Amino acid sequence: QVPAIIVLYLVGFGLPLAKIPLLSDLSPEWYAIFALTMTFSAYAAETYRAGIESIHPSQWSSTRSLGFSYGQTLRYVILPQAVRRVIPPLLGGFIALQKDTSLVNIIGTVDAFNQAKVYASSNFNLSSVTVVAALFVMVTIPQTRFVDWMLARSSTRRQKGK
């Protein structure tokens, strides 16, 4: 998979150069949203694929032997199990996405960090950068604890099932 900074660069500078109708006239903020969405979507798709493949083949076989169609097997048996397994990695990816938002400055979009950097350099005071760092920590620590809780809960469920 391609790093977010490369996708941001290609989308932020490549789409305007390509002169594609509707896409070449967007603001840098929309390019940033589009690039980060593409990046996170690729990670999310890979996470879901791995979650589906992690379901034991006997689950597929047993539902098919009961007469379920392929679609019914996915809908009623495989996906409910896979979704439980992929939620913690998806939340971890979402936390990483929040951190990647600081990369949007390469295409001319001003984010919290760059705004704080401008303020700090004009006032010779790093308190604004400290506030932005504290905000990132305040947002990501509860999310990380939630992911840890979900992983522990999932582990407890698996141990009870054995």
Side-chain angles (χ1 to χ4, degrees):
Q1 295 184 4
V2 181
I5 194 163
I6 294 173
V7 175
L8 278 162
Y9 197 83
L10 289 173
V11 168
F13 296 115
L15 284 180
L17 289 175
K19 304 273 190 229
I20 298 171
L22 298 174
L23 293 178
S24 61
D25 298 327
L26 296 174
S27 68
E29 289 81 12
W30 281 107
Y31 291 136
I33 291 168
F34 184 61
L36 290 174
T37 300
M38 284 182 15
T39 303
F40 184 70
S41 296
Y43 287 117
E46 178 61 23
T47 302
Y48 274 107
R49 184 204 57 77
I52 290 169
E53 284 188 3
S54 74
I55 304 302
H56 198 273
S58 64
Q59 297 290 310
W60 292 91
S61 301
S62 60
T63 55
R64 297 307 296 263
S65 68
L66 291 171
F68 282 55
S69 69
Y70 179 78
Q72 289 172 322
T73 299
L74 275 174
R75 180 177 179 191
Y76 296 115
V77 178
I78 303 301
L79 289 180
Q81 294 177 68
V83 166
R84 272 189 238 117
R85 292 182 182 186
V86 301
I87 287 175
L90 285 176
L91 289 172
F94 183 69
I95 292 168
L97 173 68
Q98 288 175 331
K99 294 176 184 177
D100 285 347
T101 59
S102 63
L103 301 173
V104 300
N105 67 346
I106 67 160
I107 61 171
T109 302
V110 178
D111 66 322
F113 171 68
N114 288 300
Q115 188 64 38
K117 198 167 61 170
V118 168
Y119 178 81
S121 64
S122 64
N123 294 314
F124 305 105
N125 184 344
L126 289 177
S127 61
S128 59
V129 177
T130 306
V131 168
V132 170
L135 287 173
F136 269 105
V137 169
M138 286 173 42
V139 168
T140 57
I141 285 181
Q143 290 174 338
T144 304
R145 295 297 153 244
F146 181 64
V147 170
D148 291 343
W149 175 79
M150 289 191 74
L151 286 171
R153 190 176 124 204
S154 173
S155 176
T156 303
R157 279 186 178 172
R158 268 189 251 127
Q159 288 174 355
K160 285 182 182 178
K162 288 184 179 179

